[in-house]
Amino acid sequence: MTNFALATTTKIGIVGAGAMGAGIAQIAAAAGHTVRLLDNREGAAAQAIEGIKAQFIKMSAKGKMTPDAAQAASARLLPACAVAELADTGLVIEAIVENLDVKRKLFLELEGLCGSECIFATNTSSISVTSIAAVLAHPKRLVGMHFFNPAPLMALVEIISGLATDPQLANALFDTAKAWGKTPVYAKSTPGFIVNRVARPYYSEGLRLLTEGAGDCATLDAIMREAGGFRMGPFELMDMIGHDVNFAVTCSVWNAFFNDSRFRPSLIQQELVDAGFLGKKTQRGFYDYAPDAVRPAPQTASACVAPSDIKIFGSSIAATNLAERLKSAGVAFQNSSANDDRIAQISDVVFFETDGRSATQRAHDTGIHKLVLTDIALDYSKSTRMAIAVAHQADEKTKEAATGLFQAAGYTVSVLNDVPGMVVMRTVAMLANEAADAVNQGVCDAAGADVAMRLGVNYPRGPLAWADEIGVVTINTVLSNLAQFYGEDRYRISPLIQQAVYAGRTIHD
Ligand code: NAI
């Protein structure tokens, strides 16, 4: 396959020597390019270069690059004092302030100075690439090259084409990013591109679960980590990102999609921003970060007696793994040959995996009053926490039996207040729905969406691959039940998911 990567003899101009510009300069210099780094803040470029050189020294001390390579890479970093000094570069990557007019002004100036072959790239995370390019005489030369923070460590680069972008130039930057050791994915210039769009439900479903009282922050975070396999739950993650930043991205994507309710911001987060409770950086967000603060523990059910008379039903992943875990814990159970939706039963207490209905609705629909729902897990054999919800029609003994069953299987149990879709299932279904819409609307392909979410925000599994594993029919049912319960357009099902169900295919087929 032809490789369109820029030769290392191509000089790279980088404008903006802040967190992102400095990181990108480090990558390009390490890859063999001469880099001219420009910042309009006096001394900022030279200071950033000193910082990068120190990084190279550290890397060589750790054996990640040879001392010679570190020295050579350092020598390739040159501060620039004026835009005119970038005239001999073959690629200019802009990482300045996130402002359309300022970015346009910079590229107009560059267009007057650089050769016609020079490619322009913007690292914008929220502004339309099409719109930045629109003022140029040759808008086809502008490509989005969206790195993630910290750029030297994060593998993903979104290569974004605006309406006028020359596909050959997008290909050249795709191959260049690869040559720099990154994993690029193609995206079309649309609000949030891939990652900042598809990730929205991770925050917004968490915020809705909290608003509706499904559980407190510590419990919901623990479920997403210990059952969902995510590195951080939504609340601790938003506290780390900063509510000002996270809320601004949500509002920008929501506005850009003409107030589509899929992206509607949350009043809880608005309140935090208004209060100046911005998260870790202000020592207060959902959690208290004062030096003497005690982190609240997740709600965890107290020990219940292991039930007898356990029956496990069918061969679903949930049932099979529950059986495995009970077996290795030495807990007796029977296998039932009845093949319906039940995963387990203890006398007249019946267990189902969530299908997007609340336990209470399902008890009403099925007439089974002692009904318990379970959430899903990324890996049932390894997960340590199980979230359950008990129908309002059931009695206290139902809850005790359910808790006892999962404790006997080695889980820490959190009993949620009964909301439709539970926590991991509801979040994953909505992540998959958003990824499916991005694919359906030609923003990226299914593989690109999954790679972007794994590498851009460290998800344990791509949302579409996860939907395929859960089963696209189940995801469709969950979303349909959520849509029916809430009566909100927010939960409308992506055409891609519906078509996969009708065709009897997976999303990745
Ligand atoms: P930053 O504030 O750390 O750095 C921006 C730098 O650009 C500053 O040093 C500033 O003096 C300089 N600057 C501003 N206007 C300039 C101009 N007209 N000419 C030359 N230099 C100028 O910002 P950061 O975080 O590095 O972000 C830069 C860009 O990267 C923004 O477009 C942002 O949206 C995008 N981005 C940021 C990410 C992040 O997590 N921080 C992630 C991905 C993209």
Side-chain angles (χ1 to χ4, degrees):
M1 234 165 63
T2 321
N3 181 357
F4 299 106
L6 298 177
T8 50
T9 48
T10 306
K11 296 189 180 84
I12 312 283
I14 293 174
V15 190
M20 295 308 293
I24 300 164
Q26 179 179 328
I27 299 162
H33 296 268
T34 295
V35 173
R36 298 193 192 286
L37 183 59
L38 174 71
D39 198 291
N40 65 0
R41 202 162 29 94
E42 180 93 28
Q47 198 189 347
I49 288 175
E50 285 316 304
I52 303 168
K53 287 180 180 172
Q55 283 299 321
F56 286 148
I57 291 170
K58 265 195 204 159
M59 287 162 77
S60 75
K62 284 186 185 162
K64 290 185 178 164
M65 66 199 297
T66 65
D68 281 355
Q71 205 172 23
S74 293
R76 286 192 286 267
L77 285 160
L78 309 169
C81 298
V83 178
E85 288 177 44
L86 309 183
D88 67 344
T89 60
L91 165 66
V92 179
I93 305 173
E94 164 277 308
I96 64 169
V97 60
E98 189 73 342
N99 175 298
L100 174 63
D101 291 336
V102 182
K103 287 188 193 289
R104 279 179 163 177
K105 191 166 161 272
L106 171 70
F107 283 115
L108 269 175
E109 194 179 352
L110 283 164
E111 195 168 43
L113 293 163
C114 298
S116 60
E117 297 298 300
C118 179
I119 307 173
F120 295 156
T122 174
N123 183 48
T124 181
S125 48
S126 64
I127 303 175
S128 152
V129 174
T130 303
S131 170
I132 299 173
V135 292
L136 297 178
H138 300 288
K140 69 174 188 176
R141 70 196 297 187
L142 186 87
V143 187
M145 197 175 192
H146 186 211
F147 290 82
F148 288 74
N149 192 16
L153 298 182
M154 299 294 284
L156 183 69
V157 182
E158 292 177 334
I159 302 292
I160 303 143
S161 287
L163 215 48
T165 301
D166 181 342
Q168 284 186 19
L169 300 187
N171 291 342
L173 294 197
F174 186 96
D175 287 349
T176 302
K178 251 193 194 170
W180 293 358
K182 298 295 175 190
T183 306
V185 293
Y186 286 110
K188 200 166 79 177
S189 179
T190 44
F193 311 133
I194 306 172
V195 172
N196 280 337
R197 169 188 182 163
V198 175
R200 296 327 318 146
Y202 193 71
Y203 314 109
S204 59
E205 285 307 319
L207 288 161
R208 286 180 67 115
L209 288 163
L210 183 69
T211 312
E212 292 174 26
D216 56 23
C217 296
T219 307
L220 298 171
D221 274 346
I223 293 168
M224 290 303 282
R225 268 187 277 106
E226 295 169 35
F230 290 87
R231 286 200 193 167
M232 294 176 95
F235 304 100
E236 52 200 356
L237 181 56
M238 283 184 274
D239 270 3
M240 195 190 78
I241 293 167
H243 291 286
D244 49 345
V245 174
N246 190 260
F247 187 67
V249 176
T250 298
C251 289
S252 130
V253 173
W254 181 58
N255 287 328
F257 276 110
F258 307 113
N259 299 359
D260 185 336
S261 61
R262 281 263 187 84
F263 306 103
R264 185 179 296 137
S266 154
L267 285 175
I268 298 188
Q269 197 173 30
Q270 166 92 73
E271 283 282 287
L272 288 173
V273 173
D274 289 349
F277 296 170
L278 304 181
K280 263 191 162 165
K281 63 186 169 191
T282 59
Q283 290 203 359
R284 182 144 182 206
F286 284 112
Y287 297 102
D288 187 348
Y289 297 90
D292 56 348
V294 179
R295 186 72 176 251
Q299 178 268 336
T300 297
S302 45
C304 291
V305 180
S308 51
D309 189 22
I310 302 170
K311 285 198 192 76
I312 304 289
F313 289 78
S315 54
S316 66
I317 301 179
T320 316
N321 277 280
L322 181 57
E324 280 299 319
R325 289 179 72 129
L326 289 171
K327 206 190 305 174
S328 44
V331 179
F333 63 90
Q334 289 179 321
N335 275 311
S336 168
S337 53
N339 211 357
D340 51 33
D341 285 348
R342 281 174 287 181
I343 53 176
Q345 186 156 344
I346 304 164
S347 68
D348 54 353
V349 177
V350 182
F351 294 77
F352 296 98
E353 190 162 82
T354 175
D355 69 354
R357 283 178 287 178
S358 66
T360 306
Q361 182 188 351
R362 201 151 168 184
H364 166 269
D365 292 352
T366 57
I368 302 168
H369 287 180
K370 293 184 182 177
L371 185 143
V372 179
L373 293 183
T374 63
D375 201 357
I376 58 165
L378 174 75
D379 180 344
Y380 290 85
S381 65
K382 295 203 182 100
S383 60
T384 52
R385 186 174 294 270
M386 175 58 73
I388 61 172
V390 181
H392 291 178
Q393 296 90 330
D395 52 12
E396 192 59 25
K397 285 209 167 110
T398 302
K399 190 165 108 183
E400 282 164 19
T403 304
L405 172 66
F406 287 103
Q407 286 174 342
Y411 288 105
T412 301
V413 176
S414 286
V415 184
L416 291 168
N417 288 324
D418 183 31
V419 293
M422 307 197 67
V423 178
V424 183
M425 177 66 103
R426 178 162 155 172
T427 306
V428 170
M430 284 296 278
L431 290 171
N433 204 29
E434 200 49 58
D437 255 4
V439 173
N440 199 50
Q441 292 159 10
V443 176
C444 56
D445 59 19
D450 277 349
V451 168
M453 300 318 287
R454 280 196 292 102
L455 301 184
V457 270
N458 292 319
Y459 286 179
R461 189 174 289 157
L464 295 174
W466 205 339
D468 277 339
E469 184 173 309
I470 292 167
V472 74
V473 172
T474 303
I475 294 291
N476 190 69
T477 305
V478 168
L479 292 168
S480 159
N481 283 328
L482 286 167
Q484 196 252 334
F485 188 94
Y486 288 108
E488 284 179 67
D489 185 46
R490 172 183 180 79
Y491 296 104
R492 68 184 185 272
I493 309 171
S494 170
L496 192 80
I497 292 178
Q498 296 188 54
Q499 291 288 66
V501 170
Y502 293 136
R505 293 195 179 149
T506 66
I507 292 172
H508 280 275
D509 267 351

